[in-house]
Amino acid sequence: MAGPIPDLEERATRCARRLCAADRVLLASHIDADGLTSAAIAAKALERAGIPFETVFEKQLDADAIAAIAATDYDTVYFTDFGSGQLDIIGDHEDAGDFTPVIADHHQPATIDGDGEPSRADTEYHLNPLLFGIDGAAELSGAGASYVLARALADVADGSDAAVAADGSGVDTAPARSDNRDLAALAVVGAVGDMQASGGELHGANAKIVDEGVDAGVLETGKDLALYGKQTRPLPKLLEYATDVHIPGISNDERGALRFLDGLDLELKRDGEWRRWSGLTNEEKRTVASALVKRAVSSGVPPKKIDQLVGTAYVLSEEPVGTELRDASEFSTLLNATARYERADVGLGVCLGDRGAALERARTLLCDHRRNLSEGIDLVTREGVTEETNVQWFHAGDRIRETIVGIVAGMAMGNEGISRSKPIVAFAEKSESELKVSARGTHGLVRRGLDLSAVMSEASRAVEGDGGGHDVAAGATVPKGKETEFIERVDEIVGEQLS
Ligand code: C5P
Ligand code: C5P
Ligand code: ZN
């Protein structure tokens, strides 16, 4: 379990003091699950501290987006889940007196990026785990950084300014609310949405946030089946769609999954409806889980894979059983279904507690999102990828939305013909003149030296584009027509990194 992280918290306090000194704040955030939860945490914290604010979302924080922000008459801009990768541009605006930036992010900072010279000295109110030796791709997300700042903001606004010790003495949520520990649940949704759980659980600074959420009574954790959809999917679908660990005769096999369940001594339907994992008793869960493991063993699934069937579940204890909101992973997918389709307002509404119109809308959007993901994955798997020496790639044109092409690329990895031993790069149409690039790797490749953030940033610059991100997942925008030149450069850099 991680202890306190003094430097990070000190920087958070500095940022919090700056926010408290502002008359009002423009809050700007990114359009994915982590960006939405980052914004929701920041919004709650600002509101509780009595600081007026307005919220905007950006698909990409490029020069134009920053210029538009600078053109507003806000003196203080609080960036969450982006900003670090654009320190140079933001810094220019700061120097010009347009606004003072406060940044809570976890992306590779522009100043310590790749092998180039730092483009600009760091800015004063910059909170990023990477500045303090914490892994921004695996140990703290944007929502996590925003949470650390929210905790500091509660202290500063409260005048106490010293860290309030969590005494762990129970589930009284009134103090949790006043010190913002209740926001830990959203921070965990953000981290899970950014795929920071590895080996079945969250680590490092994320684990510390989990502990605070448990103390505050908003989170429960425990070992459970590591399948997606435990809250909402009908049992047969839960098993059929679980493909991370392929179990012959069950995964991707509708009738097989049904036959497997039929063979267990279990009440499968109640009131004419399929039961869900979340509604089973512990005894029933054990029955299914052990039968599943037995089947996996007998059909030759390797032990390492079988271990992956169990992981830590992060449950939002205040949310109703059987809803997407109760499971951190399902919650994050629900959020991606909103903001990646230009409805960040809907996702933010859900995060802030709207269980009426916003939740209903989000669920409708989720159906479309699921369909888009499944069609996208089918497309890539059917058409296959082009193999270079060190990477594999595909061009989706306008057939996969640029805001989800990265998710599709990541999910397709490991499917027939798409290996997990090379990073995958995806192109999708962004505009008349630009392409969106998404790149995904594996933790194993990162251990061997892969840093896709550096790859995207360097290779895109070589073709007059722009990019960045994390070692394991990154992206870029490049001019149309430059695909070949770009991919050649990507292949070369990845080759150097993995040599
Ligand atoms: O912009 P942001 O940092 O929030 O996005 C990170 C992206 O990287 C997410 O889309 C997340 O799913 C992806 N990711 C991944 N595999 C990992 C870690 C992150 O695909 N192991
Ligand atoms: O869009 P995608 O999910 O592929 O993004 C992967 C990661 O790369 C995200 O963390 C995103 O913020 C980052 N990215 C970036 N610059 C871009 C595109 C993506 O830093 N031009
Ligand atoms: Zn993020």
Side-chain angles (χ1 to χ4, degrees):
M1 190 187 307
I5 307 151
D7 296 343
L8 184 77
E9 283 164 17
E10 221 173 274
R11 180 64 62 88
T13 301
R14 191 201 287 177
C15 294
R17 289 208 188 102
R18 181 61 188 77
L19 288 174
C20 278
D23 294 333
R24 55 193 198 125
V25 170
L26 181 63
L27 171 60
S29 195
H30 195 206
I31 55 138
D32 62 6
D34 191 31
L36 280 173
T37 48
S38 301
I41 290 167
K44 284 268 185 204
L46 289 168
E47 184 194 311
R48 289 172 184 175
I51 304 166
F53 67 96
E54 195 187 337
T55 313
V56 294
F57 288 93
E58 300 289 345
K59 188 154 74 180
Q60 201 63 56
L61 191 65
D62 53 20
D64 289 346
I66 300 170
I69 286 171
T72 64
D73 49 9
Y74 282 87
D75 294 331
T76 307
V77 181
Y78 179 16
F79 296 93
T80 57
D81 195 36
F82 55 25
S84 297
Q86 299 77 17
L87 278 178
D88 39 359
I89 309 173
I90 291 174
D92 289 343
H93 284 283
E94 183 178 18
D95 293 345
D98 294 343
F99 58 76
T100 303
V102 177
I103 302 169
D105 190 10
H106 67 133
H107 290 92
Q108 198 64 41
T111 48
I112 56 170
D113 192 38
D115 48 29
E117 288 293 303
S119 45
R120 184 187 186 272
D122 202 357
T123 186
E124 199 177 345
Y125 308 107
H126 182 204
L127 183 70
N128 184 319
L130 292 160
L131 301 173
F132 305 101
I134 301 164
D135 187 340
E139 293 179 324
L140 198 69
S141 69
S146 180
Y147 172 80
V148 172
L149 207 161
R151 295 275 283 123
L153 198 58
D155 292 341
V156 171
D158 178 43
S160 73
D161 226 310
V164 177
D167 62 9
S169 63
V171 293
D172 186 353
T173 54
R177 235 171 266 291
S178 67
D179 65 16
N180 286 336
R181 273 184 306 152
D182 62 316
L183 304 178
L186 286 172
V188 166
V189 172
V192 169
D194 259 11
M195 317 239 320
Q196 297 206 331
S198 64
E201 60 182 357
L202 292 169
H203 307 274
N206 278 327
K208 187 183 175 234
I209 297 178
V210 171
D211 291 342
E212 293 194 353
V214 171
D215 278 346
V218 294
L219 278 173
E220 282 163 29
T221 69
K223 289 281 168 222
D224 204 343
L225 205 57
L227 302 185
Y228 179 85
K230 291 194 289 287
Q231 290 293 328
T232 63
R233 276 188 176 156
L235 273 178
K237 293 292 164 198
L238 178 78
L239 301 181
E240 178 193 339
Y241 293 157
T243 50
D244 281 351
V245 179
H246 186 87
I247 304 176
I250 295 179
S251 310
N252 280 329
D253 185 341
E254 187 177 0
R255 282 205 269 163
L258 272 175
R259 258 198 316 273
F260 167 79
L261 284 169
D262 269 334
L264 306 174
D265 180 24
L266 199 69
E267 181 191 356
L268 292 175
K269 287 191 177 179
R270 209 164 261 180
D271 303 327
E273 287 215 37
W274 287 107
R275 295 176 70 200
R276 291 143 201 229
W277 183 262
S278 57
L280 300 185
T281 64
N282 287 338
E283 174 78 36
E284 289 171 321
K285 285 181 186 171
R286 269 194 297 276
T287 304
V288 181
S290 65
L292 201 61
V293 170
K294 217 159 130 189
R295 167 66 75 87
V297 172
S298 69
S299 40
V301 177
K304 222 176 93 191
K305 277 284 181 192
I306 292 176
D307 286 347
Q308 290 173 20
L309 282 170
V310 176
T312 300
Y314 298 99
V315 172
L316 280 73
S317 33
E318 293 186 326
E319 303 294 346
V321 175
T323 66
E324 299 86 356
L325 307 173
R326 197 168 161 89
D327 177 274
S329 182
E330 291 195 63
F331 196 153
S332 76
T333 303
L334 183 78
L335 295 179
N336 275 322
T338 66
R340 289 181 189 261
Y341 298 83
E342 278 143 43
R343 292 308 305 268
D345 58 318
V346 172
L348 182 65
V350 172
C351 288
L352 293 176
D354 183 338
R355 297 294 175 260
L359 182 56
E360 194 180 321
R361 193 67 237 258
R363 283 179 173 148
T364 310
L365 289 164
L366 179 60
C367 291
D368 297 340
H369 180 50
R370 284 224 175 96
R371 198 183 48 240
N372 291 340
L373 289 181
S374 126
E375 286 175 5
I377 295 163
D378 284 351
L379 178 88
V380 180
T381 313
R382 200 171 56 239
E383 296 191 356
V385 292
T386 306
E387 299 270 350
E388 305 294 337
T389 315
N390 305 299
V391 298
Q392 51 190 339
W393 62 275
F394 66 91
H395 200 319
D398 63 358
R399 294 178 301 164
I400 301 177
R401 219 183 148 88
E402 53 120 340
T403 52
I404 63 161
V405 75
I407 305 183
V408 170
M411 291 176 83
M413 254 182 137
N415 278 8
E416 182 98 40
I418 307 173
S419 114
R420 288 183 62 79
S421 60
K422 282 180 187 177
I424 186 165
V425 177
F427 295 96
E429 201 152 298
K430 182 170 178 156
S431 68
E432 288 282 291
S433 57
E434 286 176 325
L435 292 172
K436 165 69 190 295
V437 184
S438 280
R440 297 289 187 272
T442 64
H443 292 289
L445 288 167
V446 168
R447 276 194 295 273
R448 285 177 47 207
L450 180 73
D451 179 358
L452 289 173
S453 169
V455 174
M456 286 297 114
S457 139
E458 249 184 272
S460 66
R461 255 187 279 134
V463 298
E464 271 139 59
D466 188 37
H470 309 288
D471 49 16
V472 71
T477 303
V478 298
K480 262 192 197 166
K482 296 281 189 184
E483 295 90 319
T484 313
E485 196 180 332
F486 175 77
I487 235 19
E488 276 168 11
R489 191 74 195 102
V490 166
D491 195 41
E492 213 170 273
I493 306 171
V494 172
E496 284 160 17
Q497 290 181 348
L498 296 179
S499 68

